Amino acid sequence: MALKKSGGKLVGKSALVTGAGGGIGGAIARAFAAEGAAVTAADIDPAAAEATVAAIKATGGRAAACPLDVSKADQCERAVQYAIEHFGGPHVLANVAASMKRDGSVVDLAFEDWMQEMTVNLGGVFLMCKYAIPRMIEAGGGAIVNIASTYGHIGMPERAAYCTSKAGIINLTRVMAIDYGRDGIRVNSISPGAIDTPKTSGAAKYGSPENARRVRGAQYLVGRIGRPEEIAAGAVFLCSDDGAFCTGTDFRIDGGFLAVKYPPGQSPAEA
């Protein structure tokens, strides 16, 4: 996505994106930059963050890479300070970093695996907001978007930790919107459906990316899975003046996935 030549929806803003080396996080970072924001791209994989920064700079944007493990409080605090030192603000925060390493029921999951999901997915949002919100208030307000999931709205077999952590993000979003609305901070979440990233389309159980797109796409009313750029467009809307009347809401960008009622005993993944 090339940098807009005549301004954009986030001109003059400093944006911090976690998980910026991934499919959705990278698309959000690039979209923010294309709309004029100076972007701090943070990721646990420094090389992936640097690749996102290089892509932004190649189109004339401003960006800097920051290594970040969102499960570590000191690193979250440091990432916020890094963004301020490079670009001021921050005015926009996108919490995208996530973990989905272990499937299982509460009986099958080791407690350590449960805590891994909670600490990264939900704890990472908590920590980043804990350190970013006071600085946002100092900067005159801002917007936060947290990436949740359709699986935060429904239960799925063998996804006890992931579904619970994503549901927690949705409700934490509401609480933060209540707590900080008077300070000029809007907080929203996005619940994507399946998105065409290497993590999704390359899932081993489908045999190939092409088959994954075919099988999973059939679960969606639009007949396909989503693209990272479609989630990024939603993030731009929520974090720009276009979304000025939006706070405390969850924006479902899911191709109609949750609009379908499935027969008793059948999950969406089995449809």
Side-chain angles (χ1 to χ4, degrees):
M1 184 181 292
L3 182 67
K4 297 193 174 181
K5 300 302 182 183
S6 57
K9 297 178 180 181
L10 296 172
V11 169
K13 304 297 185 182
S14 166
L16 172 55
V17 181
T18 74
I24 293 176
I28 290 175
R30 294 190 298 273
F32 283 173
E35 292 293 346
V39 177
T40 298
D43 199 279
I44 196 168
D45 181 347
E50 290 286 0
T52 296
V53 167
I56 290 171
K57 289 183 175 180
T59 59
R62 299 170 64 206
C66 177
L68 171 65
D69 179 346
V70 296
S71 70
K72 309 295 185 185
D74 60 333
Q75 293 191 30
C76 292
E77 185 174 20
R78 190 180 311 128
V80 172
Q81 187 59 37
Y82 184 91
I84 293 168
E85 290 170 355
H86 280 73
F87 303 121
H91 309 101
V92 173
L93 170 64
N95 287 306
V96 189
S99 170
M100 189 173 65
K101 293 186 176 180
R102 297 288 185 272
D103 292 343
S105 69
V106 295
V107 173
D108 299 328
L109 278 172
F111 184 64
E112 292 76 12
D113 294 333
W114 167 271
M115 288 305 300
Q116 168 74 8
E117 303 276 299
M118 294 299 142
T119 302
V120 173
N121 297 350
L122 185 54
V125 172
F126 168 85
L127 286 171
M128 290 303 301
C129 291
K130 176 180 179 65
Y131 295 114
I133 286 174
R135 307 310 294 270
M136 279 187 171
I137 294 172
E138 292 173 3
I144 298 170
V145 61
N146 302 316
I147 301 302
S149 171
T150 51
Y151 288 2
H153 292 267
I154 58 176
M156 293 293 289
E158 305 295 316
R159 294 286 179 85
Y162 186 77
C163 291
T164 302
S165 67
K166 291 298 186 176
I169 289 173
I170 294 167
N171 220 30
L172 178 59
T173 294
R174 297 186 184 109
V175 174
M176 291 191 294
I178 294 166
D179 288 343
Y180 297 103
R182 298 291 184 184
D183 296 303
I185 295 176
R186 296 184 298 104
V187 190
N188 295 287
S189 59
I190 293 176
S191 285
I195 303 301
D196 195 354
T197 66
K199 182 183 296 185
T200 298
S201 61
K205 71 177 182 178
Y206 297 108
S208 69
E210 292 74 20
N211 194 48
R213 295 184 189 104
R214 181 186 63 80
V215 173
R216 300 207 69 182
Q219 302 166 13
Y220 291 81
L221 298 185
V222 298
R224 62 172 176 84
I225 61 176
R227 298 185 294 270
E229 293 76 18
E230 291 170 317
I231 307 305
V236 168
F237 170 79
L238 290 172
C239 293
S240 69
D241 287 344
D242 286 348
F245 201 51
C246 298
T247 194
T249 191
D250 181 69
F251 186 11
R252 287 170 17 193
I253 307 178
D254 69 347
F257 182 73
L258 293 180
V260 180
K261 185 179 186 303
Y262 294 88
Q266 184 183 48
S267 75
E270 297 167 333

PDB file of all heavy atoms in Angstrom, residues 97-126:
ATOM      1  N   ALA A  97      -0.581  -8.634  18.755  1.00  0.00           N
ATOM      2  CA  ALA A  97       0.214  -9.808  19.147  1.00  0.00           C
ATOM      3  C   ALA A  97      -0.665 -10.862  19.808  1.00  0.00           C
ATOM      4  O   ALA A  97      -1.508 -10.542  20.655  1.00  0.00           O
ATOM      5  CB  ALA A  97       1.327  -9.385  20.097  1.00  0.00           C
ATOM      6  N   ALA A  98      -0.478 -12.118  19.415  1.00  0.00           N
ATOM      7  CA  ALA A  98      -1.327 -13.191  19.938  1.00  0.00           C
ATOM      8  C   ALA A  98      -0.593 -14.520  19.907  1.00  0.00           C
ATOM      9  O   ALA A  98       0.389 -14.695  19.190  1.00  0.00           O
ATOM     10  CB  ALA A  98      -2.619 -13.296  19.133  1.00  0.00           C
ATOM     11  N   SER A  99      -1.113 -15.442  20.701  1.00  0.00           N
ATOM     12  CA  SER A  99      -0.573 -16.799  20.768  1.00  0.00           C
ATOM     13  C   SER A  99      -1.713 -17.791  20.644  1.00  0.00           C
ATOM     14  O   SER A  99      -2.768 -17.625  21.269  1.00  0.00           O
ATOM     15  CB  SER A  99       0.163 -17.013  22.094  1.00  0.00           C
ATOM     16  OG  SER A  99       0.497 -18.376  22.273  1.00  0.00           O
ATOM     17  N   MET A 100      -1.538 -18.829  19.829  1.00  0.00           N
ATOM     18  CA  MET A 100      -2.492 -19.934  19.766  1.00  0.00           C
ATOM     19  C   MET A 100      -1.693 -21.209  19.557  1.00  0.00           C
ATOM     20  O   MET A 100      -1.746 -21.841  18.512  1.00  0.00           O
ATOM     21  CB  MET A 100      -3.522 -19.739  18.657  1.00  0.00           C
ATOM     22  CG  MET A 100      -4.665 -20.758  18.709  1.00  0.00           C
ATOM     23  SD  MET A 100      -6.002 -20.417  17.541  1.00  0.00           S
ATOM     24  CE  MET A 100      -5.156 -20.629  15.985  1.00  0.00           C
ATOM     25  N   LYS A 101      -0.931 -21.566  20.565  1.00  0.00           N
ATOM     26  CA  LYS A 101       0.015 -22.667  20.431  1.00  0.00           C
ATOM     27  C   LYS A 101      -0.528 -24.005  20.889  1.00  0.00           C
ATOM     28  O   LYS A 101       0.000 -25.046  20.514  1.00  0.00           O
ATOM     29  CB  LYS A 101       1.291 -22.339  21.217  1.00  0.00           C
ATOM     30  CG  LYS A 101       2.079 -21.173  20.619  1.00  0.00           C
ATOM     31  CD  LYS A 101       3.393 -20.991  21.335  1.00  0.00           C
ATOM     32  CE  LYS A 101       4.223 -19.899  20.681  1.00  0.00           C
ATOM     33  NZ  LYS A 101       5.523 -19.696  21.363  1.00  0.00           N
ATOM     34  N   ARG A 102      -1.549 -23.994  21.722  1.00  0.00           N
ATOM     35  CA  ARG A 102      -2.023 -25.250  22.296  1.00  0.00           C
ATOM     36  C   ARG A 102      -3.532 -25.357  22.198  1.00  0.00           C
ATOM     37  O   ARG A 102      -4.258 -24.495  22.679  1.00  0.00           O
ATOM     38  CB  ARG A 102      -1.614 -25.363  23.775  1.00  0.00           C
ATOM     39  CG  ARG A 102      -0.108 -25.388  24.009  1.00  0.00           C
ATOM     40  CD  ARG A 102       0.512 -26.701  23.570  1.00  0.00           C
ATOM     41  NE  ARG A 102       1.929 -26.764  23.904  1.00  0.00           N
ATOM     42  CZ  ARG A 102       2.901 -26.317  23.128  1.00  0.00           C
ATOM     43  NH1 ARG A 102       2.597 -25.765  21.967  1.00  0.00           N
ATOM     44  NH2 ARG A 102       4.167 -26.416  23.499  1.00  0.00           N
ATOM     45  N   ASP A 103      -4.012 -26.426  21.570  1.00  0.00           N
ATOM     46  CA  ASP A 103      -5.430 -26.745  21.598  1.00  0.00           C
ATOM     47  C   ASP A 103      -5.677 -27.714  22.746  1.00  0.00           C
ATOM     48  O   ASP A 103      -4.773 -28.451  23.156  1.00  0.00           O
ATOM     49  CB  ASP A 103      -5.863 -27.394  20.278  1.00  0.00           C
ATOM     50  CG  ASP A 103      -5.818 -26.417  19.118  1.00  0.00           C
ATOM     51  OD1 ASP A 103      -5.780 -25.202  19.380  1.00  0.00           O
ATOM     52  OD2 ASP A 103      -5.834 -26.876  17.966  1.00  0.00           O
ATOM     53  N   GLY A 104      -6.916 -27.744  23.219  1.00  0.00           N
ATOM     54  CA  GLY A 104      -7.244 -28.709  24.256  1.00  0.00           C
ATOM     55  C   GLY A 104      -8.366 -28.240  25.154  1.00  0.00           C
ATOM     56  O   GLY A 104      -8.672 -27.044  25.228  1.00  0.00           O
ATOM     57  N   SER A 105      -8.993 -29.196  25.817  1.00  0.00           N
ATOM     58  CA  SER A 105     -10.010 -28.890  26.818  1.00  0.00           C
ATOM     59  C   SER A 105      -9.315 -28.539  28.127  1.00  0.00           C
ATOM     60  O   SER A 105      -8.088 -28.650  28.250  1.00  0.00           O
ATOM     61  CB  SER A 105     -10.911 -30.109  27.034  1.00  0.00           C
ATOM     62  OG  SER A 105     -10.168 -31.146  27.680  1.00  0.00           O
ATOM     63  N   VAL A 106     -10.082 -28.131  29.123  1.00  0.00           N
ATOM     64  CA  VAL A 106      -9.470 -27.784  30.405  1.00  0.00           C
ATOM     65  C   VAL A 106      -8.822 -28.996  31.057  1.00  0.00           C
ATOM     66  O   VAL A 106      -7.883 -28.855  31.847  1.00  0.00           O
ATOM     67  CB  VAL A 106     -10.484 -27.138  31.376  1.00  0.00           C
ATOM     68  CG1 VAL A 106     -10.950 -25.809  30.837  1.00  0.00           C
ATOM     69  CG2 VAL A 106     -11.668 -28.059  31.655  1.00  0.00           C
ATOM     70  N   VAL A 107      -9.292 -30.187  30.736  1.00  0.00           N
ATOM     71  CA  VAL A 107      -8.681 -31.392  31.289  1.00  0.00           C
ATOM     72  C   VAL A 107      -7.361 -31.694  30.589  1.00  0.00           C
ATOM     73  O   VAL A 107      -6.364 -32.064  31.218  1.00  0.00           O
ATOM     74  CB  VAL A 107      -9.639 -32.598  31.170  1.00  0.00           C
ATOM     75  CG1 VAL A 107      -8.941 -33.892  31.582  1.00  0.00           C
ATOM     76  CG2 VAL A 107     -10.883 -32.373  32.020  1.00  0.00           C
ATOM     77  N   ASP A 108      -7.338 -31.495  29.281  1.00  0.00           N
ATOM     78  CA  ASP A 108      -6.164 -31.851  28.496  1.00  0.00           C
ATOM     79  C   ASP A 108      -5.032 -30.841  28.598  1.00  0.00           C
ATOM     80  O   ASP A 108      -3.848 -31.205  28.519  1.00  0.00           O
ATOM     81  CB  ASP A 108      -6.549 -32.013  27.020  1.00  0.00           C
ATOM     82  CG  ASP A 108      -7.581 -33.104  26.814  1.00  0.00           C
ATOM     83  OD1 ASP A 108      -7.551 -34.084  27.576  1.00  0.00           O
ATOM     84  OD2 ASP A 108      -8.415 -32.962  25.901  1.00  0.00           O
ATOM     85  N   LEU A 109      -5.371 -29.561  28.738  1.00  0.00           N
ATOM     86  CA  LEU A 109      -4.354 -28.514  28.738  1.00  0.00           C
ATOM     87  C   LEU A 109      -3.517 -28.531  30.013  1.00  0.00           C
ATOM     88  O   LEU A 109      -4.054 -28.661  31.111  1.00  0.00           O
ATOM     89  CB  LEU A 109      -5.003 -27.128  28.618  1.00  0.00           C
ATOM     90  CG  LEU A 109      -5.401 -26.636  27.229  1.00  0.00           C
ATOM     91  CD1 LEU A 109      -6.200 -25.356  27.370  1.00  0.00           C
ATOM     92  CD2 LEU A 109      -4.176 -26.410  26.357  1.00  0.00           C
ATOM     93  N   ALA A 110      -2.229 -28.382  29.851  1.00  0.00           N
ATOM     94  CA  ALA A 110      -1.381 -28.116  31.017  1.00  0.00           C
ATOM     95  C   ALA A 110      -1.631 -26.683  31.461  1.00  0.00           C
ATOM     96  O   ALA A 110      -1.913 -25.795  30.647  1.00  0.00           O
ATOM     97  CB  ALA A 110       0.089 -28.308  30.649  1.00  0.00           C
ATOM     98  N   PHE A 111      -1.530 -26.431  32.749  1.00  0.00           N
ATOM     99  CA  PHE A 111      -1.767 -25.087  33.262  1.00  0.00           C
ATOM    100  C   PHE A 111      -0.801 -24.084  32.637  1.00  0.00           C
ATOM    101  O   PHE A 111      -1.161 -22.939  32.366  1.00  0.00           O
ATOM    102  CB  PHE A 111      -1.618 -25.076  34.789  1.00  0.00           C
ATOM    103  CG  PHE A 111      -1.943 -23.746  35.413  1.00  0.00           C
ATOM    104  CD1 PHE A 111      -3.212 -23.211  35.341  1.00  0.00           C
ATOM    105  CD2 PHE A 111      -0.948 -23.021  36.067  1.00  0.00           C
ATOM    106  CE1 PHE A 111      -3.507 -21.985  35.905  1.00  0.00           C
ATOM    107  CE2 PHE A 111      -1.232 -21.794  36.628  1.00  0.00           C
ATOM    108  CZ  PHE A 111      -2.519 -21.270  36.558  1.00  0.00           C
ATOM    109  N   GLU A 112       0.412 -24.532  32.364  1.00  0.00           N
ATOM    110  CA  GLU A 112       1.405 -23.648  31.745  1.00  0.00           C
ATOM    111  C   GLU A 112       0.949 -23.202  30.353  1.00  0.00           C
ATOM    112  O   GLU A 112       1.168 -22.049  29.965  1.00  0.00           O
ATOM    113  CB  GLU A 112       2.755 -24.352  31.645  1.00  0.00           C
ATOM    114  CG  GLU A 112       3.440 -24.611  32.980  1.00  0.00           C
ATOM    115  CD  GLU A 112       2.837 -25.772  33.755  1.00  0.00           C
ATOM    116  OE1 GLU A 112       2.027 -26.540  33.158  1.00  0.00           O
ATOM    117  OE2 GLU A 112       3.173 -25.921  34.939  1.00  0.00           O
ATOM    118  N   ASP A 113       0.317 -24.112  29.605  1.00  0.00           N
ATOM    119  CA  ASP A 113      -0.178 -23.761  28.277  1.00  0.00           C
ATOM    120  C   ASP A 113      -1.362 -22.800  28.370  1.00  0.00           C
ATOM    121  O   ASP A 113      -1.491 -21.869  27.572  1.00  0.00           O
ATOM    122  CB  ASP A 113      -0.576 -25.018  27.509  1.00  0.00           C
ATOM    123  CG  ASP A 113       0.609 -25.913  27.204  1.00  0.00           C
ATOM    124  OD1 ASP A 113       1.736 -25.379  27.101  1.00  0.00           O
ATOM    125  OD2 ASP A 113       0.421 -27.133  27.086  1.00  0.00           O
ATOM    126  N   TRP A 114      -2.242 -23.054  29.333  1.00  0.00           N
ATOM    127  CA  TRP A 114      -3.360 -22.132  29.580  1.00  0.00           C
ATOM    128  C   TRP A 114      -2.832 -20.729  29.883  1.00  0.00           C
ATOM    129  O   TRP A 114      -3.293 -19.740  29.309  1.00  0.00           O
ATOM    130  CB  TRP A 114      -4.202 -22.660  30.741  1.00  0.00           C
ATOM    131  CG  TRP A 114      -5.198 -21.692  31.302  1.00  0.00           C
ATOM    132  CD1 TRP A 114      -4.995 -20.781  32.299  1.00  0.00           C
ATOM    133  CD2 TRP A 114      -6.551 -21.524  30.881  1.00  0.00           C
ATOM    134  NE1 TRP A 114      -6.143 -20.067  32.541  1.00  0.00           N
ATOM    135  CE2 TRP A 114      -7.118 -20.506  31.684  1.00  0.00           C
ATOM    136  CE3 TRP A 114      -7.356 -22.147  29.924  1.00  0.00           C
ATOM    137  CZ2 TRP A 114      -8.444 -20.086  31.551  1.00  0.00           C
ATOM    138  CZ3 TRP A 114      -8.678 -21.736  29.787  1.00  0.00           C
ATOM    139  CH2 TRP A 114      -9.202 -20.717  30.598  1.00  0.00           C
ATOM    140  N   MET A 115      -1.856 -20.645  30.750  1.00  0.00           N
ATOM    141  CA  MET A 115      -1.317 -19.351  31.152  1.00  0.00           C
ATOM    142  C   MET A 115      -0.578 -18.659  30.007  1.00  0.00           C
ATOM    143  O   MET A 115      -0.565 -17.430  29.920  1.00  0.00           O
ATOM    144  CB  MET A 115      -0.406 -19.503  32.364  1.00  0.00           C
ATOM    145  CG  MET A 115      -1.157 -19.796  33.662  1.00  0.00           C
ATOM    146  SD  MET A 115      -2.440 -18.567  34.031  1.00  0.00           S
ATOM    147  CE  MET A 115      -1.449 -17.073  34.153  1.00  0.00           C
ATOM    148  N   GLN A 116       0.040 -19.437  29.129  1.00  0.00           N
ATOM    149  CA  GLN A 116       0.707 -18.846  27.966  1.00  0.00           C
ATOM    150  C   GLN A 116      -0.294 -18.066  27.120  1.00  0.00           C
ATOM    151  O   GLN A 116      -0.038 -16.930  26.708  1.00  0.00           O
ATOM    152  CB  GLN A 116       1.376 -19.943  27.137  1.00  0.00           C
ATOM    153  CG  GLN A 116       1.850 -19.513  25.755  1.00  0.00           C
ATOM    154  CD  GLN A 116       3.095 -18.648  25.770  1.00  0.00           C
ATOM    155  OE1 GLN A 116       3.713 -18.473  26.820  1.00  0.00           O
ATOM    156  NE2 GLN A 116       3.455 -18.108  24.625  1.00  0.00           N
ATOM    157  N   GLU A 117      -1.431 -18.694  26.842  1.00  0.00           N
ATOM    158  CA  GLU A 117      -2.460 -18.023  26.047  1.00  0.00           C
ATOM    159  C   GLU A 117      -2.990 -16.784  26.770  1.00  0.00           C
ATOM    160  O   GLU A 117      -3.157 -15.720  26.170  1.00  0.00           O
ATOM    161  CB  GLU A 117      -3.619 -18.987  25.761  1.00  0.00           C
ATOM    162  CG  GLU A 117      -3.211 -20.253  25.053  1.00  0.00           C
ATOM    163  CD  GLU A 117      -3.127 -20.092  23.552  1.00  0.00           C
ATOM    164  OE1 GLU A 117      -4.147 -19.781  22.923  1.00  0.00           O
ATOM    165  OE2 GLU A 117      -2.032 -20.285  23.014  1.00  0.00           O
ATOM    166  N   MET A 118      -3.264 -16.922  28.063  1.00  0.00           N
ATOM    167  CA  MET A 118      -3.814 -15.800  28.823  1.00  0.00           C
ATOM    168  C   MET A 118      -2.803 -14.653  28.926  1.00  0.00           C
ATOM    169  O   MET A 118      -3.151 -13.481  28.791  1.00  0.00           O
ATOM    170  CB  MET A 118      -4.204 -16.249  30.237  1.00  0.00           C
ATOM    171  CG  MET A 118      -5.336 -17.228  30.292  1.00  0.00           C
ATOM    172  SD  MET A 118      -6.856 -16.562  29.597  1.00  0.00           S
ATOM    173  CE  MET A 118      -7.468 -18.028  28.785  1.00  0.00           C
ATOM    174  N   THR A 119      -1.558 -14.996  29.161  1.00  0.00           N
ATOM    175  CA  THR A 119      -0.532 -13.967  29.381  1.00  0.00           C
ATOM    176  C   THR A 119      -0.250 -13.181  28.115  1.00  0.00           C
ATOM    177  O   THR A 119      -0.105 -11.953  28.157  1.00  0.00           O
ATOM    178  CB  THR A 119       0.764 -14.613  29.900  1.00  0.00           C
ATOM    179  OG1 THR A 119       0.473 -15.319  31.106  1.00  0.00           O
ATOM    180  CG2 THR A 119       1.812 -13.561  30.198  1.00  0.00           C
ATOM    181  N   VAL A 120      -0.180 -13.856  26.975  1.00  0.00           N
ATOM    182  CA  VAL A 120       0.101 -13.156  25.725  1.00  0.00           C
ATOM    183  C   VAL A 120      -1.151 -12.464  25.193  1.00  0.00           C
ATOM    184  O   VAL A 120      -1.147 -11.251  24.931  1.00  0.00           O
ATOM    185  CB  VAL A 120       0.667 -14.125  24.667  1.00  0.00           C
ATOM    186  CG1 VAL A 120       0.806 -13.426  23.318  1.00  0.00           C
ATOM    187  CG2 VAL A 120       2.012 -14.677  25.122  1.00  0.00           C
ATOM    188  N   ASN A 121      -2.233 -13.202  25.029  1.00  0.00           N
ATOM    189  CA  ASN A 121      -3.411 -12.659  24.357  1.00  0.00           C
ATOM    190  C   ASN A 121      -4.129 -11.593  25.179  1.00  0.00           C
ATOM    191  O   ASN A 121      -4.429 -10.510  24.679  1.00  0.00           O
ATOM    192  CB  ASN A 121      -4.390 -13.780  24.012  1.00  0.00           C
ATOM    193  CG  ASN A 121      -3.805 -14.778  23.040  1.00  0.00           C
ATOM    194  OD1 ASN A 121      -2.741 -14.567  22.469  1.00  0.00           O
ATOM    195  ND2 ASN A 121      -4.490 -15.891  22.847  1.00  0.00           N
ATOM    196  N   LEU A 122      -4.415 -11.907  26.426  1.00  0.00           N
ATOM    197  CA  LEU A 122      -5.145 -10.975  27.282  1.00  0.00           C
ATOM    198  C   LEU A 122      -4.200 -10.112  28.105  1.00  0.00           C
ATOM    199  O   LEU A 122      -4.373  -8.895  28.199  1.00  0.00           O
ATOM    200  CB  LEU A 122      -6.101 -11.755  28.189  1.00  0.00           C
ATOM    201  CG  LEU A 122      -7.050 -10.959  29.078  1.00  0.00           C
ATOM    202  CD1 LEU A 122      -7.860  -9.956  28.264  1.00  0.00           C
ATOM    203  CD2 LEU A 122      -7.983 -11.910  29.825  1.00  0.00           C
ATOM    204  N   GLY A 123      -3.176 -10.736  28.671  1.00  0.00           N
ATOM    205  CA  GLY A 123      -2.216  -9.981  29.467  1.00  0.00           C
ATOM    206  C   GLY A 123      -1.456  -8.965  28.649  1.00  0.00           C
ATOM    207  O   GLY A 123      -1.145  -7.873  29.134  1.00  0.00           O
ATOM    208  N   GLY A 124      -1.158  -9.292  27.387  1.00  0.00           N
ATOM    209  CA  GLY A 124      -0.448  -8.355  26.526  1.00  0.00           C
ATOM    210  C   GLY A 124      -1.259  -7.098  26.267  1.00  0.00           C
ATOM    211  O   GLY A 124      -0.718  -5.978  26.255  1.00  0.00           O
ATOM    212  N   VAL A 125      -2.567  -7.252  26.063  1.00  0.00           N
ATOM    213  CA  VAL A 125      -3.438  -6.080  25.889  1.00  0.00           C
ATOM    214  C   VAL A 125      -3.456  -5.249  27.172  1.00  0.00           C
ATOM    215  O   VAL A 125      -3.339  -4.018  27.134  1.00  0.00           O
ATOM    216  CB  VAL A 125      -4.863  -6.526  25.505  1.00  0.00           C
ATOM    217  CG1 VAL A 125      -5.825  -5.335  25.510  1.00  0.00           C
ATOM    218  CG2 VAL A 125      -4.864  -7.197  24.132  1.00  0.00           C
ATOM    219  N   PHE A 126      -3.596  -5.924  28.297  1.00  0.00           N
ATOM    220  CA  PHE A 126      -3.594  -5.230  29.596  1.00  0.00           C
ATOM    221  C   PHE A 126      -2.311  -4.418  29.785  1.00  0.00           C
ATOM    222  O   PHE A 126      -2.357  -3.225  30.123  1.00  0.00           O
ATOM    223  CB  PHE A 126      -3.743  -6.260  30.717  1.00  0.00           C
ATOM    224  CG  PHE A 126      -3.474  -5.708  32.093  1.00  0.00           C
ATOM    225  CD1 PHE A 126      -4.466  -5.068  32.811  1.00  0.00           C
ATOM    226  CD2 PHE A 126      -2.212  -5.834  32.668  1.00  0.00           C
ATOM    227  CE1 PHE A 126      -4.209  -4.556  34.081  1.00  0.00           C
ATOM    228  CE2 PHE A 126      -1.945  -5.321  33.927  1.00  0.00           C
ATOM    229  CZ  PHE A 126      -2.955  -4.676  34.640  1.00  0.00           C
TER     230      PHE A 126
END
